[in-house]
Amino acid sequence: MNIFCTDDNSLHLTLIQQALRGAASSLNLDLKIIGTASTGQEAFDKVKQLLNSGNTIDLVTLDIRMPELDGLSALIKLKNSFPSLKICMASSEDDKTVARGHTTPMEMSLADKLKLIEKVAQRIISGAIEQGKINKVLDGCDQIALDPQEVAKKYGALAFLHKPYKIEDVQQMLKLLTSGGSFTVF
Amino acid sequence: MQFATYLLKSNLISKEQLKKVLILQFTRSTSLVEVLLNSSFCNLENFLISLDLFEKNKLDLLETLETNNFLSLESKDKILSQYKESLIPLWTLLVQDEICNYHQARSWYENYLKELEDLQKQKKTNETSTIQESHKSSKISSKEDTHQGMLNPSQTPIPNIEIKILDALMLSELLEAFDETKRSEIEQTIINFSKNSDVEILRSLYRELHTLKGTSRFIKANASEYLIHQLESLVQESIRYFNLMNDYLKLKVEEDLLLGLDLIWDLRTDIQLHDHEKCWLDKNWQKKVFILIENILSTSGKVQKLSEQLSIDKIDDMF
């Protein structure tokens, strides 16, 4: 099983690799970290290069909050280029953060918010940057208090993993990867 | 003793400087009610009627007064020119007026608070001795004395946080991630934010705080995680309403963030020296947290109020 990990924080990048190795070992899975990146853009470039040169990637992990290209924007870009790629989002956005978003006075339905995000997604895919507009998906989520999990689900992520990583969550996520299943939050 | 008296007595600022600042404070901190009533723009009765109406509908107070013909349009403009939207503490003005820098002002203010507390303690002790003199049979609890002037945790929004001895190997992660260089980088970012009009500065600050929060959580530095979360929340709100924030509000955010950063640094120093967030257990230090949380709640409320100006159309334009 080849896994590509992305996180801008070197400690967190090490931790997810450790958690994946530990979980894989307990499930008797043969796991290899095929590459790492510290931004969404770097992940996109490296994954593209690996796939185009004949490698297989079973899973890409993407931290949500990263400089240059955030994880959600990278998810949209990767899924657009490689629709069958399995992607697990990783985040330290906790319940408090999500609740904070939901209590913000912003009278918009989830569907309305996702429609706005779709505009940003289209720009991400086409590579267009519009001055004075929100050009990153996570910035859009912050602006309209949209839970990143909703975006991850809509754009085809396999799972959403919360930090700090728990070995049992990572085990469950790997089982989901091997058995197939719908979007799950751990 | 007032802070101004303290500054003069301690020869920290001159009378001329103080005069200048007090004039500024006076002109900037007059409340709307004072302006309305003292300048005879509105009588008390009309003001009270408006206040009732103000509660019922969602117009702002000046609009309510105007809608009810209690104010002419001309008066409204005059009022607005006299009324500055919020109170500005004296020490902030000292910084704004470049009489001293932020750190000096903070340190002066903290010394003042300490001196004030000592005076209050002294006064209390004198009162207690008088009581003891007149009621020799009554017993004063030494425990109560120890807590004079301290915060009652039940009256503060500060949660009970478990302070643990941290794993020596893991805590180095935080010490490395949040060293002197990182601290001054963050400090500079905060200062740049109020001087610039680029929301990206706030976004990068949010990422820095978010990463630090994650690292604090990882090593179980619970107090640091809590404080960083408060700052992160304020930054998130500021990002959301950035285009609508005026310079004053940006300065308030800056002030809260700098105070917060100081406190997180105190915790970090304790982690380095004592392997745990020792100062969190110090009631006097907790007072600073209390002030910070109160300030953040107030600033955050002002920032969130801007959402009233943010229509769905305006949001749509951003996308």
Side-chain angles (χ1 to χ4, degrees), chain A residues 9 11 15 65 92-94 100 104-106 108 116 119-120 123 133-134 139 142-143 163-164, chain B residues 173 203 206-207 210-211 217-218 229 232-233 236-237 240-241 307 312 315-319:
Chain A
N9 182 284
L11 169 66
L15 289 174
R65 212 164 277 282
S92 45
E93 307 286 336
D94 52 17
R100 179 171 74 200
T104 303
M106 196 75 73
M108 291 174 80
L116 290 178
K119 289 190 191 179
V120 185
R123 286 203 288 278
K133 300 265 185 192
I134 288 171
D139 293 347
D142 284 338
Q143 185 63 50
K163 297 176 189 177
Chain B
E173 295 291 347
R203 290 200 172 114
Y206 186 93
R207 277 196 300 274
H210 194 70
T211 304
R217 183 184 299 163
F218 169 66
H229 183 76
E232 196 193 52
S233 305
Q236 192 184 42
E237 292 296 348
R240 206 167 277 159
Y241 304 113
S307 69
I312 301 279
I315 296 171
D316 201 54
D317 281 347
M318 293 178 190
F319 286 77

Side-chain angles (χ1 to χ4, degrees), chain B residues 6 15 52 70 89 91 132 187 278-279 308:
Chain B
Y6 166 80
K15 266 187 186 171
D52 274 344
F70 294 148
W91 71 267
Q132 279 175 327
E187 195 172 64
K278 194 180 171 197
C279 51
E308 291 164 11

